[in-house]
Amino acid sequence: MGAHIGRRLRKGATSGVVMAAAVAALAASQAPEATPPATDNTSGDQAIGAGDTTSPSGHGSVTGDSPYYTDLPPLNPPNLPGASTKLPLTAGPAEAGIPASVYSAYKRAELSIRSTDPGCNLPWQLLAGIGKVESGQANGGRVDANGTASPRILGPALDGNGFALITDTDGGAYDGDTKLDRAVGPMQFIPSTWATWGQDANSDGKKDPNNIYDAAQAAGLYLCANDRNLALKADLDQAILSYNRSREYLNTVLSWVAFYERGTHQIPDGTGVLPVGRSDNGSRGGRPRPATSLPTVPTAPTPGTQKPKPPAENRPGTAKPPTVPTEPPVTPPVTPPALPAVARVARLMIVANEKPTATTGSAFTGLPRVAALDASGKPVPGVNIRFEIIGATDTRFGAGGTTATVTTGSAGLATSPALRAGEKTGAFTVRATVVGRTLGAADFAATVTERQADTLTRLAGDPLAATTGTSFTQKVQVKATDKGALAPGVRVTAVIVTSKTDTAESADGPSFKRADGTTARTVTLVAGTDGLLTLEPGDLLAGDKAGTYYVRLTAPGGGTAFIDLTVNAPATTNPDPTPTPSPTPSGGTPSETTTPSPGTSPSA
């Protein structure tokens, strides 16, 4: 790493300039006459007051203001504006190389956050600058195939000696310390901050601060908090200071950001240059500090010893073999892993049926439909969209539930499952959200109205008749139609009245028999799927008062009909007559008639 090891920027050297000028400031601060600045605390940091920055973590900073690496970029940064990762290892200083998995994680986090929060303007070089200062790019890229640091990276116990005092908040789950917290992982999150900001960016089902993909995504979200726009110098400084409240830390990070902006290249995992200088002078344990290869310092030969002979090819008179030119080694570019589909979604757009409607008891014909789009407006397939019915309604999805999940197709579209209205009328909301994200929802204003029928037609049948105290034994059917089509599900009001011109309910006479055995003179009848309203035998009781009555039927939409009812009194019959006796003469007794014997003649 050369003579720049351990040097530090003068306080404020880059705090007042934009990132594009940071390299110049860095070069000035590393001139031969530059001397390390005076420090005002034990760790070499300049403390930042509470009013200088706003931390979204709920604590003083992401790291608990734990130690960081103070090594600065070399004086000969790669002068390659816009350079990509296709440069060979020898194209720039070794410090410009970023381990492939670490670089991939930074780029992936930038892409994800720019799609969800484009106003933040997060550059991946900012993550690289912080990653360099916090962990030396995950200890030179010592990560496994999944991107997890091996061994895990731990800061010193935060015991208040030179940095924050934070007692254990995770039961040692992340840092293995059940008494005090430690900063953990490539981006050095303290456990309590990770509990709020932790991410599962590599979709392995875990939020692991030691995984570079998870940690880089969480760091990017943290830096963008509080509606920051990192293209603005004030917001950029505030974000970095919220990570570690030190002006020297700010200057060091900005120096690396500017260095990486001038160009960088990928190197194999595990081969990154490891930093040496630390803000606590390395006096406290915690973070791994693997051995770093330093330039070999030649030693003077021992007096009296013979100088080693030069190689044979360098001896006078020896012919040198021809030099065969060799190509510099080229590190193949590593393509960052593709973002999961859900991470690419920037917004949900309503495509069709913003205000679906249906009538009671019927299916919605226009179903809610949304499109999942990325930041550039392109569709994102393979995203799970959750549709939810919200509000006081008995409308349900086809399977009978109030929620359903649909996956977007190749065009990024998702359509709600079938919706069927119940018996309740009114407004409610169908809400579409992206599963696993907190993007704004797409809301559909749904409405259920009464089913209508403009015509009610009495099917064939004579007027109904019954005797008082009995029930009507005829079956009655009425067909409901609306604009000539059957009106299944229409709710029709049936009222017993005494005149076709009187809409008031009758005070006596016939009544309807309900299913629970009670009676009423006003009920609601619902048309079946065939559009028919049916009164079965026994559904109408004659009552105790003879006379002429009507069932008045009215439907939403204007349909009306009458059913004539006649209630007869029971028929009356006379009893058998009693025989009348013959009259008796005065003073006598009834006479008897004697039949004379044959051949006898009354006397003279």
Side-chain angles (χ1 to χ4, degrees), residues 267-595:
I267 57 176
D269 287 346
T271 64
V273 175
L274 300 173
V276 176
R278 227 171 48 168
S279 62
D280 63 348
N281 298 317
S283 60
R284 301 186 64 84
R287 299 187 190 181
R289 298 184 59 188
T292 303
S293 298
L294 299 176
T296 302
V297 179
T299 58
T302 304
T305 60
Q306 186 178 3
K307 293 182 180 181
K309 293 182 179 180
E313 62 271 16
N314 291 335
R315 296 174 190 169
T318 302
K320 295 182 180 180
T323 301
V324 179
T326 59
E327 294 291 332
V330 177
T331 302
V334 176
T335 302
L339 281 173
V342 65
R344 300 202 309 271
V345 180
R347 63 189 177 99
L348 276 182
M349 182 179 73
I350 294 176
V351 175
N353 306 310
E354 186 174 0
K355 296 180 179 179
T357 60
T359 54
T360 51
S362 64
F364 285 76
T365 55
L367 296 176
R369 178 180 294 177
V370 295
L373 305 177
D374 64 16
S376 64
K378 295 181 180 179
V380 182
V383 177
N384 287 334
I385 305 298
R386 183 173 186 261
F387 291 94
E388 181 179 7
I389 298 171
I390 299 173
T393 180
D394 54 359
T395 295
R396 295 292 182 265
F397 291 111
T402 58
T403 61
T405 301
V406 178
T407 303
T408 58
S410 59
L413 299 177
T415 302
S416 158
L419 281 166
R420 188 168 190 86
E423 299 303 318
K424 288 184 179 180
T425 60
F428 62 97
T429 299
V430 178
R431 176 165 295 166
T433 55
V434 179
V435 176
R437 294 292 299 278
T438 56
L439 298 175
D443 284 348
F444 296 78
T447 306
V448 176
T449 59
E450 281 282 2
R451 186 75 169 91
Q452 295 192 348
D454 56 16
T455 304
L456 298 177
T457 306
R458 169 82 160 90
L459 300 185
D462 296 329
L464 306 185
T467 303
T468 54
T470 65
S471 62
F472 292 88
T473 59
Q474 300 97 324
K475 181 177 182 178
V476 181
Q477 286 190 316
V478 175
K479 181 172 67 173
T481 58
D482 190 49
K483 297 179 178 61
L486 293 176
V490 67
R491 298 166 63 87
V492 175
T493 301
V495 184
I496 305 294
V497 295
T498 57
S499 168
K500 289 186 178 181
T501 60
D502 187 0
T503 59
E505 178 187 284
S506 174
D508 48 28
S511 60
F512 298 99
K513 182 180 180 181
R514 295 191 179 113
D516 61 1
T518 61
T519 61
R521 292 191 172 90
T522 300
V523 295
T524 298
L525 306 177
V526 180
T529 56
D530 54 4
L532 295 181
L533 300 154
T534 302
L535 289 172
E536 298 290 347
D539 285 349
L540 270 171
L541 304 179
D544 297 329
K545 184 178 180 179
T548 300
Y549 302 89
Y550 306 91
V551 177
R552 177 186 174 89
L553 302 170
T554 57
T560 60
F562 289 91
I563 301 172
D564 296 356
L565 305 177
T566 300
V567 178
N568 297 313
T572 57
T573 57
N574 294 325
D576 293 338
T578 303
T580 302
S582 299
T584 302
S586 177
T589 58
S591 60
E592 296 182 3
T593 302
T594 302
T595 303

Side-chain angles (χ1 to χ4, degrees), residues 237-258:
D237 287 358
Q238 187 183 64
I240 297 172
L241 289 171
S242 76
Y243 215 92
N244 192 314
R245 298 175 300 172
S246 161
R247 288 287 174 184
E248 183 177 332
Y249 179 87
L250 168 68
N251 296 340
T252 306
V253 169
L254 287 175
S255 300
W256 282 106
V257 171

